[in-house]
């Protein structure tokens, strides 16, 4: 029996939600958030400008996908799950900060939406269970984790603004000038991003000394 002539094997990549979100993140990294659009994404990929809408309802849904991609970079499965929960929480916050600062233009995307990917939900469940095993009530554990996340994301947002050039607008008085005061001197002796660990450890020590109170209690 002769073999029929078959059409060429397709070589063009099939667009998926994950691929589009990754491509959108790469485009934002390269060109900035303000220049991003679904049409621009289609143009860069060489596809119909409307192609992304087959996978995402709108641009906000695509941004949800970008937040999922950013969370995936944290690689939560390799966190020190066998360590004490303060060490686990600290390492998670450090990794999240590192990921966000690798993508300064995309920090506002992550900061303005919940991350509801399967990996994120699984990580949340595991972390609350870890704190529960350490004697922390689940509702209190969630409040503590929210505090840590908001601190980490807020710090990354502040630092990313400086990375993108906001520090050039600084009006700090020059050393030796009449207005060079103690605040300006102290600013010269520190870095704009070197307080993260100070705040993180203060929060963790506070939580371990006295976990966050239940607002429904007395």
């Amino acid at each position: 029996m002769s073999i029929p002539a078959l059409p060429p094997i397709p070589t063009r990549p099939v667009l998926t939600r994950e691929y589009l979100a990754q491509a959108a993140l790469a485009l934002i990294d390269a060109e900035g958030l303000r220049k991003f659009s679904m049409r621009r994404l289609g143009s860069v990929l060489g596809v119909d400008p409307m192609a992304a809408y087959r996978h995402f309802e709108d641009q906000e849904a695509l941004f949800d996908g970008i937040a999922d991609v950013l969370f995936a970079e944290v690689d939560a499965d390799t966190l020190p799950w066998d360590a004490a929960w303060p060490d686990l929480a600290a390492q998670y916050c450090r990794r999240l900060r590192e990921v966000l600062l690798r993508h300064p233009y995309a920090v506002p995307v992550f900061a303005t939406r919940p991350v509801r990917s399967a990996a994120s939900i699984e990580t949340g469940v595991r972390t609350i269970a870890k704190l529960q095993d350490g004697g922390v009530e689940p509702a209190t554990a969630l409040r503590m984790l929210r505090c840590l996340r908001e601190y980490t994301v807020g710090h990354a947002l502040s630092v990313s603004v400086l990375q993108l050039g906001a520090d050039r607008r600084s009006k700090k008085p020059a050393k030796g000038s009449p207005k060079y005061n103690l605040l300006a001197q102290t600013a010269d002796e520190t870095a704009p991003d070197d307080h993260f660990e100070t705040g993180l450890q203060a929060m963790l020590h506070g939580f371990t000394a006295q976990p966050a109170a239940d607002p429904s209690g007395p």
Side-chain angles (χ1 to χ4, degrees), residues 176-189:
S177 71
K179 293 184 178 180
Y180 190 75
N181 53 28
L182 182 59
L183 177 60
Q185 176 187 336
T186 307
D188 282 338
E189 295 172 353

Side-chain angles (χ1 to χ4, degrees), residues 166-174 177 179 184:
D167 57 337
R168 293 194 296 269
R169 299 195 297 273
S170 174
K171 302 299 181 181
K172 182 171 62 64
S177 71
K179 293 184 178 180

